Amino acid sequence: MEKTWRWFGKKDKITLSMLRQIGVEGIVTALHDVPLGEVWTREQIRDLREYIESYGLRWSVVESLPVTETIKYGGPDREQQLEVYRQSLRNLAAEGVNTVCYNFMPVLDWARTDLLHPNEDGTSNLYFSYAEFAYFDINILKRKGAREEWAAFRFPEGVGEGRDILAEADELAKEMTPERDHQLVENIVIKTQGFVSGNFHEDDEAPLELFHQLLAKYEGIDKAQLQQNMKYFLEAVMPVCDECDINLCVHPDDPPIPILGLPRIVRTAEDIRWFLNAVPNPHNGLTFCAGSLSAGAYNDVVAMAREFAPRTHFVHLRSCHIFPNGDFTEASHLGGRADLVELCKIFERQRHPHGPLPFRVDHGKTMLGDETRGYNAGYSFLGRMFAMAQMQGVLATLAHESH
Ligand code: DNO
């Protein structure tokens, strides 16, 4: 596999020369300054590609070319936005960038409630607490129907037995303070969304209002409808992917559970089978995010890797630990539910038409001073470097064993 790293552009505090020093071969990035819904021009793409190449690296993967909400809910300007998407794909291919990651999660990209959850060893990790998320939904967002939905919430078999999330959220409400509310909004809406080119930005004055406006667009859109909209999107862009040999790869829903009353359609093996079969074109593929998938107790991540490796165009190596109560945290890259050693074996064996399959370590621990550097949530330097070194060791061992 090709060792890649998510880099957030020229403003990233982690520079390309630092990445050269730690064995990175390819860069995963996006044109983060282009507003959502605008074409990525060939000149802009070339400028960034040449910059990356001037450091002896290559632009391996786009993460993400965002699919705007109107395409997801099927709004009136969907056709115009599809044309924008196709044009950006053509421009990327013309500059030699052929692997493009996107997601089809409505409104929120990924979600966590705590970005610096302390571990016993002094490091910290990202964390998802159901009770805090429910509290956010009911008491801060005040979403219509939230109480009823959380009252009916059931964990998958084997975890969270006997837990009553609504009661826990109500308990939490007694002790929350305006400061902690603010922190939760920062964690769920601002700090995790802004830098991934999502719908929310650091300087949004009324993020919750915007949240409600976006949620309203999905009224009446159920899982089947969102799946049809994804199929519509894929069918609209596949001719360009065929013409330009672009591998498009959807990122799974993170976490892989329906949230905020919104449908989620890329969270289980069945979901993945569905979209791969609905548009059976090899250019329609998956970003195998082991971290997102392993946060679902019902997902057998190794079995999924075996099944979906032939349609996987990009891999995120990360692993989650699910606590008996159902909450999850991000585990060490050598621990957790995802079995990254086995996954490396599976993906190393997979031949890929564009050369070695790109992988990146996904979120790492925050450690050894990372917390004071202002890195994007989950995207520490030392923590990710540590994980990258672990994965390099695994890959080297596998290569050695296969000789
Ligand atoms: C979070 C990321 C996601 C991912 C997008 C892909 O850390 O894994 O934001 O990049 O969902 O479109």
Side-chain angles (χ1 to χ4, degrees):
M1 284 192 279
E2 183 190 22
K3 303 175 187 84
T4 68
W5 181 280
R6 190 176 198 183
W7 172 73
F8 294 98
K10 294 178 187 173
K11 291 184 221 144
D12 196 327
K13 294 182 180 121
I14 302 165
T15 63
L16 294 178
S17 47
M18 288 159 77
L19 299 181
R20 275 301 298 277
Q21 295 182 38
I22 62 169
V24 169
E25 298 161 339
I27 293 300
V28 175
T29 194
L31 294 183
H32 288 285
D33 292 332
V34 177
L36 278 182
E38 284 184 19
V39 172
W40 290 12
T41 68
R42 212 171 145 177
E43 293 65 36
Q44 292 164 318
I45 297 164
R46 184 184 307 134
D47 175 69
L48 193 60
R49 175 180 63 71
E50 288 178 350
Y51 181 79
I52 294 169
E53 289 174 358
S54 73
Y55 285 84
L57 296 160
R58 65 183 283 265
W59 185 350
S60 309
V61 180
V62 173
E63 181 174 356
S64 304
L65 183 59
V67 174
T68 45
E69 294 299 318
T70 189
I71 295 178
K72 295 178 186 170
Y73 63 78
D77 48 349
R78 166 161 72 171
E79 295 308 322
Q80 182 263 341
Q81 279 298 301
L82 287 169
E83 189 42 39
V84 166
Y85 207 89
R86 285 189 288 258
Q87 193 52 45
S88 298
L89 288 175
R90 287 188 200 102
N91 293 345
L92 283 162
E95 289 300 319
V97 187
N98 292 70
T99 303
V100 177
C101 166
Y102 69 101
N103 74 69
F104 221 81
M105 287 175 256
V107 185
L108 264 197
D109 191 316
W110 59 308
R112 294 291 183 279
T113 53
D114 192 352
L115 309 180
L116 286 173
H117 193 77
N119 298 317
E120 276 181 3
D121 61 7
T123 61
S124 62
N125 272 114
L126 303 172
Y127 188 95
F128 187 89
S129 148
Y130 281 85
E132 285 189 7
F133 197 80
Y135 168 83
F136 164 81
D137 194 8
I138 298 166
N139 296 63
I140 300 182
L141 193 58
K142 299 185 171 42
R143 185 175 61 85
K144 210 170 99 217
R147 275 194 82 79
E148 294 71 19
E149 280 170 34
W150 284 108
F153 179 81
R154 295 289 169 272
F155 279 98
E157 221 184 296
V159 293
E161 215 173 304
R163 234 180 135 184
D164 178 345
I165 297 295
L166 180 61
E168 286 184 37
D170 285 345
E171 261 321 290
L172 209 53
K174 294 182 193 154
E175 63 181 58
M176 289 296 279
T177 59
E179 292 70 35
R180 283 181 67 191
D181 279 6
H182 177 75
Q183 190 60 52
L184 212 44
V185 174
E186 287 272 305
N187 291 352
I188 297 175
V189 192
I190 308 292
K191 287 201 185 137
T192 35
Q193 306 303 305
F195 73 90
V196 294
S197 309
N199 292 314
F200 303 93
H201 305 99
E202 291 273 351
D203 51 3
D204 282 339
E205 279 177 14
L208 296 179
E209 244 165 67
L210 176 59
F211 215 121
H212 280 287
Q213 283 164 18
L214 287 167
L215 285 176
K217 304 281 188 195
Y218 286 88
E219 261 169 43
I221 302 216
D222 60 8
K223 179 170 178 180
Q225 185 59 53
L226 190 65
Q227 283 180 316
Q228 285 314 313
N229 294 355
M230 181 175 180
K231 183 166 183 236
Y232 191 91
F233 161 72
L234 287 168
E235 284 173 345
V237 297
M238 276 302 125
V240 174
C241 293
D242 288 341
E243 184 188 304
C244 305
D245 196 16
I246 287 224
N247 280 332
L248 207 60
C249 38
V250 71
H251 188 284
D253 302 336
D254 182 5
I257 49 163
I259 53 170
L260 304 168
L262 295 163
R264 301 274 248 182
I265 57 174
V266 192
R267 57 186 203 95
T268 63
E270 194 190 329
D271 289 343
I272 295 171
R273 243 170 255 139
W274 185 87
F275 82 83
L276 292 177
N277 293 336
V279 181
N281 181 326
H283 289 121
N284 165 29
L286 176 68
T287 295
F288 196 96
C289 178
S292 305
L293 297 171
S294 61
Y298 30 74
N299 285 333
D300 177 342
V301 185
V302 169
M304 290 170 93
R306 287 206 183 96
E307 178 174 352
F308 302 123
R311 295 279 290 273
T312 293
H313 300 316
F314 180 32
V315 178
H316 284 183
L317 292 179
R318 172 164 74 79
S319 182
C320 281
H321 170 71
I322 306 180
F323 294 95
N325 77 351
D327 287 356
F328 71 86
T329 190
E330 301 201 356
S332 143
H333 282 63
L334 297 179
R337 297 188 70 244
D339 196 349
L340 298 185
V341 176
E342 192 58 32
L343 257 49
C344 284
K345 276 191 202 160
I346 295 167
F347 289 118
E348 276 292 71
R349 276 198 296 266
Q350 188 63 41
R351 290 297 124 223
H352 199 253
H354 287 191
L357 184 59
F359 85 91
R360 69 173 178 87
V361 293
D362 204 0
H363 317 146
K365 288 169 191 271
T366 298
M367 62 198 287
L368 301 171
D370 277 332
E371 56 282 5
T372 63
R373 298 299 181 97
Y375 298 134
N376 292 327
Y379 290 89
S380 60
F381 180 59
L382 295 174
R384 271 193 296 163
M385 179 175 85
F386 185 65
M388 179 62 142
Q390 289 176 318
M391 292 302 105
Q392 289 182 9
V394 169
L395 293 172
T397 308
L398 294 179
H400 190 267
E401 279 178 353
S402 70
H403 283 147

